[in-house]
């Protein structure tokens, strides 16, 4: 049984608080942690990674790479070291590679494995086995790999027989960093150049990190290209805090008048910072301090001062820059005065759960008026949230967003199915208590 199919359901029982104050540091960025392992395994030499996120998702990538023969030294504290010997040193795994709940693990590994001349199978938990894979299967097959999956390649498990790739110029209909990165990881092993064009720029961590590994991708608008048969040299990396994890505290502080919270050393890559702009438009004061660059990624302390928020509109163009923050922003909308419309967000339907439907259903239990349409949510905020039993539906970001809502609720909020938080944010409840010491959050069995 995978982690996502746990038999014991864990819940949080939460009582809110008025006070939100302090300075905290959230764990390392999930997207960057995955990429540090994958590029480290493809490189020649020992890559050192500081601030690696030890969450279930990133550990799924780590275990898969070990099964492919990469030596990774992972002391309980300090640097993770990846002893890369180039992609040619990877060997056929003896068993099925399990990505657990992690779409990033499965899709990026598919890109890596498409270039290797051996057979491998990638699978995941029940949630991941329902997520669309044709978006990576089609370009990787067009490059020359053989990929088979359930429902004509739509769903995992995916069986891959890779090798002998040719570079392509691929135009993807979705702005997806996982799709882009899968194609680039294959392209680095192909004959000739590979380029990917997306409708709007998705997070560009792969491109930035490749530069640190000595391969400089070329960018023109939303097209990025990498050379084929590239040789990556080991790097020394420092991973910033995850803005998507910081977002839960940023929303909590932004929506509480008088609150003042600082999130230290957070990655503020502009392809990820849409939520900060939205919360500022809703009335919060958010500043970035001690701005600097680490390993090609911008990093800053984020200082949030809260207020009575007001509703806003979040349109399609902004979605890729705040994709993972929509659950937290929906809670901000529920707490804000007036109406918030989030549109062009169909991609949320194919995340760990259908987040548009999950948000509509769970926020309604808290007394929030929400209208769900094909690719949008209309949220009327400003009413007191009521005591309720809600469920994460197995989605880590739903669980943490509902905990933020619980801080503002009258009486007790019970959030069911919270073990999934380990996929991205071990220690979330402990950090919540640091900035909201008056709140009571207890984990209980069902
Ligand atoms: C990620 C890309 C995004 C994001 C996910 C992490 C990545 O997914 O939602 O949490 O690390 O590349 P999509 O590529 O499906 O948009």
């Amino acid at each position: 049984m995978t982690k996502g199919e746990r038999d014991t359901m864990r819940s949080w029982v939460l009582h809110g608080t008025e006070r939100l104050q302090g300075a905290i540091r959230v764990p390392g960025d999930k997207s960057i942690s995955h990429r540090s392992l994958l590029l480290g395994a493809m490189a020649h030499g020992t890559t050192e990674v500081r601030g690696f996120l030890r969450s279930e998702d990133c550990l799924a990538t780590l275990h898969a790479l070990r099964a492919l023969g990469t030596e990774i030294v992972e002391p309980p504290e300090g640097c993770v070291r990846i002893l890369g010997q180039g992609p040619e040193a990877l060997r056929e795994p003896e068993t099925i590679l399990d990505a657990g709940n992690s779409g990033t693990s499965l899709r990026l590994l598919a890109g890596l494995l498409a270039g290797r001349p051996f057979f491998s199978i990638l699978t995941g938990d029940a949630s991941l086995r329902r997520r669309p894979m044709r978006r990576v299967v089609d370009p990787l097959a067009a490059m020359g790999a053989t990929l088979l999956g359930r429902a004509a390649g739509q769903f995992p498990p995916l069986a891959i027989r890779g090798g002998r790739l040719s570079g392509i110029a691929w135009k993807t209909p979705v702005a997806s960093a996982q799709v882009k990165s899968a194609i680039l990881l294959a392209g680095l092993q192909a004959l000739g150049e590979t380029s990917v064009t997306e409708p709007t720029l998705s997070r560009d961590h792969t491109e930035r990190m490749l530069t640190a590994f000595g391969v400089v991708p070329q960018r023109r608008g939303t097209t990025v290209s990498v050379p084929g048969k590239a040789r990556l040299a080991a790097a020394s990396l420092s991973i910033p805090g995850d803005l998507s994890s910081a977002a839960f505290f940023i929303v909590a502080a932004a929506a509480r008048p008088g609150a003042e919270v600082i999130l230290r050393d957070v990655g503020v890559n502009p392809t990820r910072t849409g939520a900060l702009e939205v919360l500022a438009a809703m009335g919060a004061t958010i500043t970035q301090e001690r701005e600097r660059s680490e390993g090609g990624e911008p990093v800053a302390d984020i200082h949030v001062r809260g207020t009575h928020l007001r509703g806003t509109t979040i349109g399609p163009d902004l979605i890729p820059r705040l994709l993972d923050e929509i659950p937290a922003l929906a809670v901000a909308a529920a707490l804000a005065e007036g109406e918030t419309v989030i549109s062009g967000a169909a991609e949320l339907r194919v995340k760990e759960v259908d987040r548009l439907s999950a948000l509509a259903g769970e926020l309604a239990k808290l007394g929030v008026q929400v209208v769900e349409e094909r690719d949008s949510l209309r949220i009327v905020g400003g009413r007191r949230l009521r005591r309720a039993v809600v469920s994460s539906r197995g989605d880590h970001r739903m669980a943490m967003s509902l905990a933020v809502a619980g801080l503002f609720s009258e009486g007790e909020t019970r959030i069911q199915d919270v073990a999934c938080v380990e996929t991205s944010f071990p220690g979330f409840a402990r950090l919540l208590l640091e900035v909201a010491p008056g709140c009571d959050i207890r984990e209980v069995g069902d």
Side-chain angles (χ1 to χ4, degrees):
M1 191 180 77
T2 64
K3 290 273 172 19
E5 294 154 9
R6 298 167 183 88
D7 47 3
T8 42
M9 278 259 264
R10 308 294 301 170
S11 295
W12 283 328
V13 177
L14 193 149
H15 292 264
T17 178
E18 291 276 308
R19 225 185 99 219
L20 271 161
Q21 210 147 31
I24 53 170
R25 199 172 258 113
V26 295
D29 187 276
K30 180 158 75 71
S31 293
I32 302 178
S33 293
H34 282 294
R35 287 157 173 79
S36 70
L37 296 172
L38 289 157
L39 295 187
M42 290 176 81
H44 293 263
T46 300
T47 289
E48 292 201 335
V49 187
R50 284 170 301 284
F52 178 78
L53 172 65
R54 266 190 188 76
S55 73
E56 286 174 2
D57 275 14
C58 299
L59 292 176
T61 296
L62 187 149
H63 293 141
L65 289 170
R66 274 194 185 143
L68 291 163
T70 305
E71 196 178 329
I72 303 175
V73 187
E74 188 210 356
E77 301 290 329
C79 265
V80 171
R81 285 200 306 282
I82 306 136
L83 283 60
Q85 295 184 300
E88 310 74 30
L90 298 178
R91 54 160 203 261
E92 185 169 273
E94 287 173 8
T95 188
I96 292 171
L97 305 175
D98 188 355
N101 191 241
S102 172
T104 309
S105 304
L106 198 145
R107 293 194 179 110
L108 270 59
L109 281 164
L112 172 64
L113 291 169
R116 302 324 315 143
F118 54 66
F119 172 74
S120 52
I121 301 178
L122 286 165
T123 193
D125 69 7
S127 152
L128 187 53
R129 292 195 308 270
R130 285 192 291 268
R131 296 181 65 186
M133 294 300 150
R134 283 290 294 271
R135 49 181 66 191
V136 290
V137 165
D138 289 347
L140 298 175
M143 294 174 83
T146 305
L147 292 97
L148 295 171
R150 289 192 303 118
Q154 185 61 274
F155 301 117
L158 292 185
I160 304 175
R161 167 88 213 176
R164 291 183 162 279
L165 301 182
S166 312
I168 44 163
W170 190 260
K171 210 169 162 182
T172 147
V174 280
S176 159
Q178 291 176 2
V179 171
K180 174 175 61 181
S181 303
I183 300 169
L184 295 180
L185 293 188
L188 291 165
Q189 307 171 70
L191 210 55
E193 187 186 89
T194 291
S195 72
V196 184
T197 303
E198 40 187 356
T200 328
L201 183 61
S202 64
R203 63 191 68 191
D204 63 356
H205 303 303
T206 303
E207 297 92 304
R208 286 173 187 256
M209 193 180 286
L210 272 172
T211 304
F213 280 88
V215 175
V216 183
Q218 299 302 309
R219 169 164 301 289
R220 244 173 308 105
T222 60
T223 300
V224 63
S225 51
V226 291
K229 301 279 175 205
R231 188 183 161 93
L232 275 62
S236 170
L237 305 168
S238 185
I239 298 185
D242 197 326
L243 181 58
S244 299
S245 298
F248 304 108
F249 303 102
I250 295 173
V251 164
R256 174 71 80 201
E260 191 168 349
V261 171
I262 298 174
L263 286 307
R264 295 212 192 282
D265 307 322
V266 184
V268 286
N269 181 313
T271 59
R272 297 276 299 276
T273 49
L276 302 181
E277 290 158 32
V278 166
L279 289 166
M282 294 175 86
T285 305
I286 301 182
T287 51
Q288 294 181 25
E289 296 162 2
R290 294 203 312 125
E291 290 174 298
R292 60 211 180 272
S293 168
E294 274 173 25
E297 290 281 352
V299 183
D301 292 353
I302 299 175
H303 194 147
V304 190
R305 292 180 186 84
T307 188
H308 290 288
L309 298 177
R310 48 181 186 270
T312 189
T313 54
I314 303 174
D317 287 353
L318 203 50
I319 299 292
R321 295 184 53 235
L322 46 70
L323 194 61
D324 291 344
E325 288 65 74
I326 289 174
L329 288 172
V331 170
L335 298 168
E337 206 55 55
E339 187 177 274
T340 293
V341 179
I342 303 170
S343 62
E347 270 298 295
L348 266 75
R349 296 211 183 271
V350 292
K351 292 292 172 189
E352 285 79 335
V353 293
D354 175 343
R355 285 185 178 156
L356 293 185
S357 148
L359 284 166
E362 300 308 317
L363 289 177
K365 293 179 190 166
L366 292 163
V368 183
Q369 206 185 315
V370 192
V371 181
E372 173 195 351
E373 275 161 14
R374 192 183 53 82
D375 69 350
S376 70
L377 285 182
R378 182 181 300 274
I379 300 168
V380 182
R383 273 205 233 150
R384 285 288 293 182
L385 303 183
R386 65 176 180 229
R387 176 191 177 99
V389 178
V390 290
S391 171
S392 75
R393 305 190 184 191
D395 181 320
H396 55 132
R397 300 203 197 284
M398 284 296 299
M400 293 182 274
S401 300
L402 291 167
V404 171
L407 289 177
F408 293 81
S409 171
E410 281 171 2
E412 181 177 290
T413 308
R414 191 182 181 100
I415 304 153
Q416 296 175 320
D417 203 354
V418 297
C420 52
V421 167
E422 295 295 312
T423 61
S424 70
F425 198 161
F428 168 78
R430 187 180 39 74
L431 271 185
L432 187 65
L433 283 171
E434 260 185 57
V435 285
C439 103
D440 182 22
I441 178 168
R442 270 172 301 125
E443 191 170 320
V444 297
D446 261 4

